[in-house]
Structures are given as structure tokens and as C-alpha cells.
Amino acid sequence: MLPDSRQFDAALRIVGELRAAGYEAYLAGGCVRDLLLGREPKDYDVATSATPEVVLGLFSRTFSVGAHFGVVLVADGDDEGYVTTEVATFRSDGAYSDGRHPDGVRYTRSAEEDVKRRDFTINGLLIDPEKLLPHGLDIESHPFDSAQGRLRHKNKDVARVGHPAVIDYVGGVGDLEAGIVRAIGRAELRFEEDHLRMLRGVRFAARFGFELEEGTAAAIRRLAGKTVAVSRERVRDELTKMLTEGRARRAFELLEETGLLAEVLPEVARMKGVEQPAQFHPEGDVWVHTLGLLGQLEEGCSATLGWGALLHDVGKPPTFRRAPDRIRFDGHVEVGVAMGAEICRRFRFSNEETGRIVALIENHMRFADAGRMKASTLKRFFRLPGFEEHLALHRMDCRAGSGNLEHWEFVRERYEAMPEEVVRPRPLITGRELIAAGYRPGAGFKEMLRAVEDAQLEGTIGTAEEALRLVRERFPLPG
Ligand code: ATP
Ligand code: MG
């Protein structure tokens, strides 16, 4: 099977046109790495010696969003549908005095210089598509067999190492083969330049099941404290990717081992070594338990579920107490809710995402009570936005601990059996009917309508007349 042909073909055409105009051009970065690993790249990047002005002039449909730092988006297709390819001019980034952005961008004609400003050797490879396709850019002869995870050249498999189409100035092919994430150049310098790279390194190691090269890991350990200078949004986005790429457990183990976790999420780092009562948590301490949930997060899961899993027990370390009978964490949910809200604020989550994440923390202990809930309480529980995430979190929570899925099954069965109109029935009456019945609009309406809804959800009333009778009984009109 070939990488998604539309995007791949578009990138190849762009490379061809740049070359026809006399410039150097290659596929570069993450897409090359993914192709060599037999993974389908999310997108394709082209690196070229042409300046942004030239690129803007050569192609008819372009977006110059990042032209000031050398990136032009080139669209391939028509109004009906098109794909975009990032075309980046070879550059060598100048000094980074703030640990975040290069002070200036300098274009270069040297592909080698461009590769050397990139972060990791596995991200520093180029493909020369013309060597791949000796008969020109014949898009029908698909060169990659990603199902088999190896480069195919015409009909014969070729070893990945030494493939004539792959240009490797940094030893990236060897590191890909060996499964190593290694900084290009001196790791410390590279992380001093841009501190976010430390998190990226962990993310790539986790995603591909690679090891961090020793010197690279040592540099991260030394410089982990610098991540405080990175914008919280960028840190958040890296952590979210780690949580949702299907290898969250490994990612967080590496964050912990390298000392990054204590810098970016000290509240989570504190979970390590916090003992739990063995009868409920045979698996071990709060950190081990949390890793047990992260290990169950699937690739493509929602960001809020990922963060909810990470933070569901964040209130445990500060509430740990050795009571006479056993270890207790009284109030850990309430404390966790406050901490979760603070973490979400710090990482600039939207109000909606914050609401979801905090609700996951807040409700994660309620499943055990579901069997004793009144019908109205249970239905309101089901009305939580994204209730499936609550179900998913509880399941992971049980499986990472006692393994007892009784409560989960009980709730899931009821949830699945209950149609939407039963969970969220149309209101029997509204404020209008209350006014017509002689009530003065005001704060009391909310309480009255809530009492009506309770009874409706309990199934004790079912009509507007019954609803008004209930209101008159419980909230008698004066006089
Ligand atoms: P992903 O699959 O997550 O998109 P990617 O390798 O494509 O991974 P991008 O963030 O899309 O990562 O960046 C594309 C390429 O740009 C990288 O492969 C790398 O060569 C380079 N790059 C990106 N971010 C940095 C950085 N902070 N420092 C140096 N090089 C970087
Ligand atoms: Mg990418």
C-alpha cells in the first residue's frame, strides 16, 4: 500500500516543479522518517533552496502564512478539494537567546545546513524523489510499500540503509534502524537553543518505541529545569500529543525518568511513592496506578480523556493519611478538582476542555454509588457532557487496580439501555405555565422547575397537569 496518494503525489509534483525551475528540492523531516518506518505520514514537507518569494511566484495557489520564517503552503487541487504541502526554504537558524525562537532566520543554499538545524537525527533525513523514481515523477509507480515497512524500488525491495534516494547527513538512517532518538550535534546546545525539543525527544521515543540516546537523555536531565521558559501552550500541546498517540505510558515514564515531569507537572510527579491500601490497590502506589491507566489510553483518544486519566487521582498525594485502620485519602476528589482546575488554567485550556477534565476528576468515584442512586440522580449523571469518557475512565481506573468491573458494567448497561428521551425528557412545564398559574417570575422558578424535573425523572409524574399540582402543593401561593 502506498502513502495517501493525494498528498504524496502533490509533494512529488511540487518537488518536480521546483527542480524544473532550477532549484534543489527534497521531501524532508517527519515524512521521510515515517516513510522509512513504513508509517503513513500525516503530512509531507518539502525543503528547497528556492526562497519564499520564488515559491510564491512559481505556484498559482499559495498561502504565505509563515513566509517570514521561510515557509509557504502550496495548494494542489481546485476549489472542490485540495491538499496543501509545506514548502520550507533551506535555512540555518541563528542564535536562540530566549530558549524558544531563533533570533533570526538565515536562508542558505545548503541542504546540509538545513538538516543540521533540525532537532533529531531521525527527523533530519531527506528523500530525493527523482532517485526514487528514475522515470520522472510517474505517480503511478508507487515507490513505497508501507505495509511491509520498507522501501521498494520498482519491484525489488532494497535495504533501507544506503538507498540512493535517501540523503543522510546526520546518521539518521542508522538511528532509525537501531531505534534511537539522538539530538543532531551537541545535545546540550540544541536543548539550550530550544527547550521544547526535550519534550519532543521524549514524545518521539515513546511514539516509536525508541530509546533516548544516552547523551541526549543526560542532556535532558541536566536541562529539564529550563522548560519553565517554554510557553505553557506549547508544553500542553506536546503533553496532549503524548497522551493521545497510544504510547502515553511510555511517554510519562520517560518524562519521569528524565526529570521533565517534575518541572512541567510537579503535582503528577508527587504521585510517585505515595502508598495506597493494598486491598484496593494491589498494583502499588498512586504513580504506578496512574501509569496503569495511561497504558490503556488508545491512539486517537480525546485530549480530555487523556488528561482526565492523568489527573484523576492528583488529589491523593496531598490528602495521604495513615489512619488507624488503613491508608486514607479523605477529600481527595475535592482537592483533586481544585488542583485539576488550576493545572488547566496554567496550561490555558479552553473553558470547555477544563470543564470536561475537571468533571472527570470530580465524578470518578461515583460509579460505586450508582446502584444506590435515585433514578433522577442517575439520569443527571448520564447527562454529563461526554458521558462515554466517564465510562472509559472508570473502566481504566478499575482495570489498573482491583480489576473488578462490576460497577462499570452496571452503569454501562443502564446507560446503554436508556434512550435519550428518558435521560433528557422534554420539560413538562416552563416558566410560562408558572406565570399563567399565578406565580411571580423570580428566583424561585428555578427551584420549582427543578422539583418538577426531579419528579419527572423519578417517573412519579408525567403530564403538565400533574406538574402544576406538584408545584401548588410544594410551593403554595400566598393568600
Ligand atoms: P509529527 O509526526 O508529530 O508531525 P514531525 O517530525 O513531522 O512529527 P513537526 O513538528 O511537524 O514534526 O516538524 C517537522 C520537522 O521540522 C521535524 O521533523 C524536524 O525536522 C523539524 N522541527 C520541528 N520542530 C523543531 C524544533 N523545535 N527544532 C528543530 N527542528 C524542528
Ligand atoms: Mg509533521
Side-chain angles (χ1 to χ4, degrees):
M1 208 188 67
L2 221 213
D4 178 88
S5 303
R6 189 92 200 273
Q7 293 218 29
F8 184 63
D9 296 348
L12 293 198
R13 266 196 294 277
I14 291 165
V15 167
E17 287 188 40
L18 286 162
R19 289 184 170 197
Y23 299 92
E24 260 188 90
Y26 304 100
L27 298 182
C31 66
V32 176
R33 173 200 70 214
D34 290 347
L35 289 170
L36 294 177
L37 287 171
R39 294 176 150 239
E40 172 118 20
K42 271 186 301 214
D43 39 43
Y44 291 84
D45 294 336
V46 168
T48 180
S49 60
T51 60
E53 296 70 57
V54 170
V55 178
L56 288 168
L58 262 178
F59 297 95
S60 51
R61 295 169 59 91
T62 55
F63 306 96
S64 65
V65 278
H68 54 290
F69 55 95
V71 179
V72 174
L73 280 182
V74 176
D76 184 276
D78 51 34
D79 288 336
E80 296 299 302
Y82 57 83
V83 293
T84 57
T85 304
E86 254 186 56
V87 179
T89 304
F90 293 156
R91 56 178 223 250
S92 64
D93 296 340
Y96 284 64
S97 35
D98 62 356
R100 288 177 289 190
H101 315 285
D103 300 340
V105 168
R106 196 175 63 81
Y107 298 136
T108 164
R109 309 238 354 137
S110 156
E112 181 169 0
E113 271 184 29
D114 182 72
V115 161
K116 293 200 163 149
R117 61 133 183 121
R118 294 172 185 267
D119 48 6
F120 300 101
T121 61
I122 59 170
N123 291 345
L125 293 165
L126 303 171
I127 279 185
D128 173 349
E130 275 174 16
K131 297 234 175 74
L132 210 54
L133 303 166
H135 308 296
L137 295 178
D138 171 7
I139 54 172
E140 297 301 359
S141 72
H142 293 316
F144 292 106
D145 185 340
S146 48
Q148 291 192 28
R150 57 177 55 163
L151 266 175
R152 294 192 86 214
H153 195 48
K154 289 271 116 193
N155 289 321
K156 66 177 198 301
D157 283 353
V158 288
R160 290 182 226 168
V161 182
H163 186 279
V166 178
I167 299 162
D168 184 2
Y169 293 111
V170 290
V173 172
D175 285 340
L176 264 185
E177 295 268 332
I180 290 172
V181 175
R182 180 197 313 267
I184 292 174
R186 278 194 50 206
E188 261 182 66
L189 284 179
R190 305 313 310 285
F191 297 147
E192 287 277 9
E193 285 173 358
D194 179 357
H195 312 320
L196 190 77
R197 288 176 187 152
M198 296 189 270
L199 290 165
R200 285 173 57 86
V202 165
R203 174 160 67 83
F204 290 121
R207 185 201 282 173
F208 302 121
F210 283 11
E211 297 297 324
L212 285 170
E213 179 269 329
E214 212 161 296
T216 301
I220 296 178
R221 271 185 227 107
R222 269 197 294 281
L223 298 175
K226 300 248 174 185
T227 47
V228 293
V230 181
S231 90
R232 296 288 106 183
E233 288 92 334
R234 290 178 80 199
V235 174
R236 175 198 66 204
D237 291 347
E238 283 301 321
L239 296 174
T240 296
K241 284 183 190 164
M242 293 183 208
L243 288 166
T244 57
E245 287 183 348
R247 305 297 288 267
R249 181 187 176 111
R250 175 87 178 117
F252 278 77
E253 282 170 349
L254 283 173
L255 287 175
E256 199 275 324
E257 280 165 38
T258 52
L260 285 167
L261 189 64
E263 299 297 335
V264 297
L265 276 170
E267 301 92 336
V268 175
R270 268 189 75 188
M271 293 174 180
K272 198 172 178 189
V274 175
E275 268 180 74
Q276 307 196 91
Q279 67 267 43
F280 301 117
H281 286 286
E283 74 280 13
D285 67 24
V286 181
W287 173 239
V288 171
H289 171 70
T290 299
L291 287 176
L293 275 88
L294 298 189
Q296 297 173 66
L297 287 171
E298 286 171 11
E299 183 175 353
C301 73
S302 69
T304 47
L305 180 60
W307 280 88
L310 180 67
L311 301 178
H312 78 289
D313 275 345
V314 76
K316 279 190 168 179
T319 55
F320 174 90
R321 183 168 69 88
R322 258 182 233 284
D325 54 342
R326 64 172 173 88
I327 290 168
R328 293 190 171 273
F329 301 98
D330 298 334
H332 91 262
V333 170
E334 292 71 25
V335 171
V337 161
M339 292 172 74
E342 163 57 22
I343 290 168
C344 288
R345 193 200 54 75
R346 193 164 88 215
F347 283 114
R348 319 258 196 282
F349 276 104
S350 70
N351 290 339
E352 194 191 338
E353 286 170 314
T354 301
R356 288 270 188 124
I357 295 165
V358 170
L360 285 169
I361 303 171
E362 188 171 4
N363 290 283
H364 84 274
M365 299 294 283
R366 293 184 68 202
F367 283 76
D369 304 328
R372 294 188 296 275
M373 281 180 188
K374 290 198 300 180
S376 54
T377 310
L378 189 65
K379 288 174 187 172
R380 289 214 173 87
F381 188 35
F382 290 168
R383 284 189 200 174
L384 286 168
F387 188 73
E388 284 79 7
E389 290 187 2
H390 291 268
L391 273 173
L393 176 67
H394 181 69
R395 182 162 181 271
M396 294 190 288
D397 199 4
C398 295
R399 294 180 67 208
S402 65
N404 181 347
L405 288 172
E406 231 175 278
H407 297 308
W408 176 76
E409 268 159 14
F410 174 86
V411 175
R412 191 198 53 161
E413 275 166 25
R414 299 241 162 355
Y415 179 71
E416 283 176 358
M418 208 177 283
E420 179 67 15
E421 64 271 19
V422 175
V423 177
R424 240 179 274 268
R426 277 192 49 178
L428 296 173
I429 55 169
T430 65
R432 216 171 342 145
E433 283 80 17
L434 292 178
I435 293 170
Y439 289 92
R440 293 250 308 277
F445 272 32
K446 205 173 153 199
E447 199 189 333
M448 294 178 203
L449 293 174
R450 168 99 184 182
V452 167
E453 194 188 54
D454 266 342
Q456 183 188 17
L457 294 177
E458 293 298 337
T460 54
I461 62 169
T463 66
E465 293 70 41
E466 287 169 336
L468 282 171
R469 198 178 315 133
L470 178 146
V471 173
R472 286 203 191 90
E473 274 169 28
R474 293 226 208 134
F475 306 89
L477 277 165

